[in-house]
Amino acid sequence: MNSGADLLEQRKARAKAWFEELRDRVCARFEALEDQYDGQQADWPPGRFERSSWKRPADTGSPEGSDDAIDSGGGITSVMRGRVFEKVGVNVSTVYGRFDPAFAKQVEGAEEDPRFWASGISVVAHMQSPHVPAVHMNTRHLVTTKAWFGGGADLTPMTDAEKDTEDFHAALKDACDRHDAAWYPRYRKWCDEYFYLPHRSEPRGAGGIFYDHHDSGDWDADFSFTREVGLAFLRIYPQIVERRMHLPWTQAEREHQLIRRGRYVEFNLLYDRGTHFGLKTGGNTDAILMSLPPVVRWP
Amino acid sequence: MNSGADLLEQRKARAKAWFEELRDRVCARFEALEDQYDGQQADWPPGRFERSSWKRPADTGSPEGSDDAIDSGGGITSVMRGRVFEKVGVNVSTVYGRFDPAFAKQVEGAEEDPRFWASGISVVAHMQSPHVPAVHMNTRHLVTTKAWFGGGADLTPMTDAEKDTEDFHAALKDACDRHDAAWYPRYRKWCDEYFYLPHRSEPRGAGGIFYDHHDSGDWDADFSFTREVGLAFLRIYPQIVERRMHLPWTQAEREHQLIRRGRYVEFNLLYDRGTHFGLKTGGNTDAILMSLPPVVRWP
């Protein structure tokens, strides 16, 4: 192994280890919120994460495609159904192999060589209380003949939550600004454009940041940025939950929340590229659709 | 107006009148089931259909696109939320204009001339009782430089419903066999292929028939066939409802129903061509998404 290949393997290992560390820290922080809770439904037991793992099937397009024993990676899904978090999924996965030839053409750096490696973390939380915003955070590292980071975080308040939205954006802006003052406005705009439902003429939520193909030429700085996005999420979202979870809510507010969740489903199934990519390339259906809310209404 | 154009206008008027007549008959029959009901929740008031109408916006691609006053047709949505029918939508619409140039290329007979006329009826029923299958029926007449019928009906039982499925298929087979013994096997297969969720390796329901570009060369026979599909639905589905609506159900059966409804949502938003076509061509969002179930669970 030459030193270039060595460095690449070290970077993959560092990225994967970070996504797993962040998973552990997010899960621990969310379980602590379950323990702290003293509002409506406080007689329910505090939720705990349950883990299950899945293996990625071998690529049918690869020369080794017929051999089931080929290791193509997989993931671990952590799900908690609690008294604060109605349903929260934290997925980490590290998968590798060869893209399908037709698909490879659409992926940066895979046009000539379809081999890829991808690792990431994805968090989606749907809350019991309509006063606590739902949230999504995802960061990932992709390696083809090129290498880049992608991800973001966005907040979906169900009731008025101006201060929550401001604080959420401020935390992400801070993570961006440590690196480059140009990134936050660019990635905030990308988020607003991406999480939009044209058939409703509505944004999915209150925005956040969204980035992809992030490669500044300095891998360590880019990795540091991706870690900071995760840390900003880990700092600000539990603060928002803590501040709002004890507020009582009415049946009408709950109904409104269940209807707003329908928009979340519409976005994820009609438009979300990650969902379509995953479902159409043999990803793990349960892990991918973990993002769907536990109860939804279309009245 | 020459006699060819005259005949075409007569045919459009007859098709439109039929879809509206069928709408009235379906609504009346469903309201009668609400009146008859004497099972769980019989203290609730019997449901009644409520109608609302919508106008189609003028085509942006048409020469008259900038004139809001151009008549492009529209539709009437009839919705009932009852004690037997948890939510049932019956849409009729008659729309006309010019397809978007990019879209016109994909539509039979519209490649050179983008003008179109389309009329149809669509019924989707989600039931209170998990013992009563959900159902979908849709028939339509399309006119470009060609003219054809399309549609179908399919049943989605939530619990064991072997006899319901058999009877539903028998009614549709009868409608097909009056015309051509080859149609039922062909259209049943098409239905099985169409209403399939590859990411779950599951059919959406228990099948039925699905047909499109139906043009045997005999317009009167094809119109008669489309009427008979509607009449078969009008005869058999209320029979199935009547036979099962009084059975008591458990909370566990209800839960199962709400989870199965998730598959319905996944199909409609991920794969249904009609839904995508409607949402992406400025159709009426509320009318299109009337098909989504009133309450759904993804546990």
Side-chain angles (χ1 to χ4, degrees):
Chain A
M1 193 177 273
N2 62 40
S3 66
D6 239 6
L7 182 65
L8 186 61
E9 290 311 311
Q10 279 171 20
R11 287 174 172 177
K12 289 178 183 175
R14 287 172 65 197
K16 176 176 188 289
W18 162 250
F19 296 131
E20 290 168 358
E21 179 191 334
L22 181 59
R23 183 263 323 271
D24 292 342
R25 291 171 69 177
V26 165
C27 290
R29 188 72 180 87
F30 286 4
E31 288 186 350
L33 288 165
E34 286 285 323
D35 289 336
Q36 265 172 258
Y37 185 61
D38 195 27
Q40 225 156 309
Q41 304 167 172
D43 53 324
W44 297 12
R48 283 295 174 262
F49 276 96
E50 290 177 17
R51 287 190 182 181
S52 56
S53 65
W54 52 272
K55 289 271 173 217
R56 181 169 172 275
D59 304 303
T60 51
S62 75
E64 316 92 327
S66 56
D67 186 349
D68 281 346
I70 292 292
D71 175 21
S72 297
I76 294 176
T77 300
S78 303
V79 188
M80 177 166 72
R81 295 174 182 85
R83 55 189 189 176
V84 177
F85 291 84
E86 189 173 339
K87 178 177 154 193
V88 50
V90 183
N91 290 317
V92 290
S93 66
T94 301
V95 297
Y96 31 86
R98 289 161 195 267
F99 286 127
D100 197 72
F103 187 74
K105 291 193 191 97
Q106 304 169 39
V107 181
E108 219 174 287
E111 303 86 348
E112 305 291 318
D113 180 344
R115 287 176 298 174
F116 76 97
W117 179 96
S119 184
I121 180 172
S122 160
V123 180
V124 176
H126 296 287
M127 311 306 285
Q128 295 280 3
S129 166
H131 297 306
V132 184
V135 80
H136 161 247
M137 188 277 289
N138 160 243
T139 52
R140 57 191 176 274
H141 185 36
L142 260 291
V143 181
T144 59
T145 60
K146 303 193 174 173
W148 67 91
F149 291 89
D154 65 286
L155 197 70
T156 307
M158 305 296 179
T159 56
D160 277 346
E162 214 173 304
K163 181 166 161 47
D164 298 341
T165 300
E166 266 175 34
D167 292 352
F168 191 78
H169 274 282
L172 293 170
K173 180 174 189 302
D174 182 60
C176 294
D177 286 355
R178 284 165 195 244
H179 294 271
D180 189 326
W183 292 356
Y184 172 70
R186 186 189 307 160
Y187 292 156
R188 177 185 179 143
K189 184 164 175 278
W190 197 347
C191 185
D192 286 342
E193 286 164 0
Y194 184 78
F195 291 108
Y196 186 75
L197 289 80
H199 66 286
R200 299 276 189 190
S201 304
E202 280 176 17
R204 187 178 79 171
I209 61 168
F210 182 98
Y211 63 103
D212 204 359
H213 299 109
H214 184 93
D215 176 13
S216 70
D218 179 345
W219 190 89
D220 285 295
D222 295 344
F223 179 44
S224 163
F225 168 61
T226 276
R227 287 201 311 275
E228 272 156 32
V229 169
L231 291 173
F233 168 80
L234 179 61
R235 179 169 62 78
I236 192 61
Y237 185 65
Q239 274 181 30
I240 292 170
V241 176
E242 242 166 351
R243 138 200 327 170
R244 297 182 69 92
M245 69 182 179
H246 293 109
L247 299 172
W249 65 86
T250 65
Q251 192 53 37
E253 287 164 334
R254 174 72 177 165
E255 281 289 312
H256 175 74
Q257 177 193 38
L258 301 188
I259 293 166
R260 293 303 311 167
R261 284 179 176 173
R263 306 296 205 262
Y264 208 93
V265 174
E266 290 172 23
F267 180 84
N268 282 23
L269 298 182
L270 284 170
Y271 304 114
D272 189 57
R273 292 198 299 250
T275 301
H276 288 189
F277 168 65
L279 293 178
K280 285 168 186 177
T281 55
N284 184 270
T285 295
D286 289 330
I288 297 163
L289 296 185
M290 186 51 61
S291 64
L292 298 180
V295 193
V296 185
R297 280 193 182 275
W298 281 276
Chain B
M1 193 177 271
N2 63 40
S3 66
D6 239 5
L7 183 65
L8 186 61
E9 291 309 311
Q10 279 171 21
R11 286 175 172 176
K12 288 177 183 175
R14 286 172 65 197
K16 176 176 188 288
W18 163 250
F19 296 131
E20 290 169 359
E21 179 190 333
L22 181 59
R23 182 263 323 269
D24 292 341
R25 292 171 69 177
V26 165
C27 289
R29 188 73 180 86
F30 286 4
E31 288 186 350
L33 289 165
E34 285 285 322
D35 289 335
Q36 263 172 260
Y37 185 60
D38 194 27
Q40 225 157 309
Q41 305 167 173
D43 53 325
W44 297 12
R48 285 294 174 264
F49 277 96
E50 289 178 18
R51 288 191 183 179
S52 55
S53 64
W54 52 271
K55 290 270 171 220
R56 182 171 171 274
D59 304 302
T60 51
S62 75
E64 314 93 327
S66 57
D67 185 349
D68 281 345
I70 293 291
D71 175 21
S72 297
I76 294 175
T77 300
S78 304
V79 187
M80 178 167 70
R81 296 173 181 87
R83 55 189 190 176
V84 178
F85 291 83
E86 190 172 340
K87 178 177 156 194
V88 51
V90 184
N91 291 317
V92 290
S93 66
T94 302
V95 296
Y96 31 85
R98 291 160 193 266
F99 286 128
D100 196 72
F103 188 75
K105 292 194 190 95
Q106 305 169 39
V107 180
E108 220 173 286
E111 302 87 348
E112 304 292 318
D113 180 343
R115 286 176 298 173
F116 76 97
W117 180 95
S119 185
I121 180 172
S122 160
V123 180
V124 176
H126 297 286
M127 311 304 287
Q128 294 280 3
S129 166
H131 297 306
V132 184
V135 79
H136 161 246
M137 188 276 290
N138 161 242
T139 53
R140 58 191 176 273
H141 185 36
L142 260 290
V143 181
T144 58
T145 60
K146 303 193 176 175
W148 68 90
F149 291 89
D154 66 287
L155 197 71
T156 307
M158 305 295 178
T159 56
D160 276 347
E162 215 172 305
K163 182 167 160 44
D164 299 340
T165 299
E166 267 174 35
D167 292 352
F168 190 79
H169 274 282
L172 293 170
K173 181 175 189 301
D174 182 60
C176 294
D177 286 356
R178 284 163 195 245
H179 294 270
D180 190 326
W183 292 356
Y184 173 70
R186 184 188 309 158
Y187 292 156
R188 177 185 179 142
K189 184 164 174 280
W190 198 348
C191 186
D192 287 342
E193 287 164 0
Y194 184 78
F195 291 107
Y196 186 76
L197 288 80
H199 66 287
R200 299 276 189 189
S201 304
E202 280 176 17
R204 186 178 79 170
I209 60 168
F210 183 99
Y211 63 102
D212 204 359
H213 298 109
H214 184 94
D215 175 13
S216 70
D218 178 345
W219 189 90
D220 286 294
D222 295 344
F223 179 44
S224 162
F225 168 61
T226 276
R227 287 200 312 275
E228 272 156 33
V229 169
L231 292 172
F233 168 79
L234 180 61
R235 178 169 61 78
I236 192 62
Y237 184 66
Q239 274 183 31
I240 292 170
V241 176
E242 241 166 353
R243 122 186 2 151
R244 297 181 68 93
M245 68 182 179
H246 293 108
L247 298 172
W249 64 87
T250 65
Q251 193 53 35
E253 286 163 337
R254 174 72 179 166
E255 280 289 312
H256 175 75
Q257 178 194 37
L258 300 188
I259 293 166
R260 294 304 309 167
R261 284 179 176 174
R263 306 297 205 261
Y264 208 92
V265 175
E266 290 173 22
F267 180 84
N268 282 24
L269 297 182
L270 284 170
Y271 304 114
D272 189 57
R273 292 197 299 249
T275 301
H276 288 188
F277 168 65
L279 293 180
K280 285 168 189 181
T281 56
N284 184 270
T285 295
D286 289 330
I288 297 163
L289 296 185
M290 188 49 62
S291 64
L292 298 180
V295 193
V296 185
R297 279 195 182 276
W298 282 276

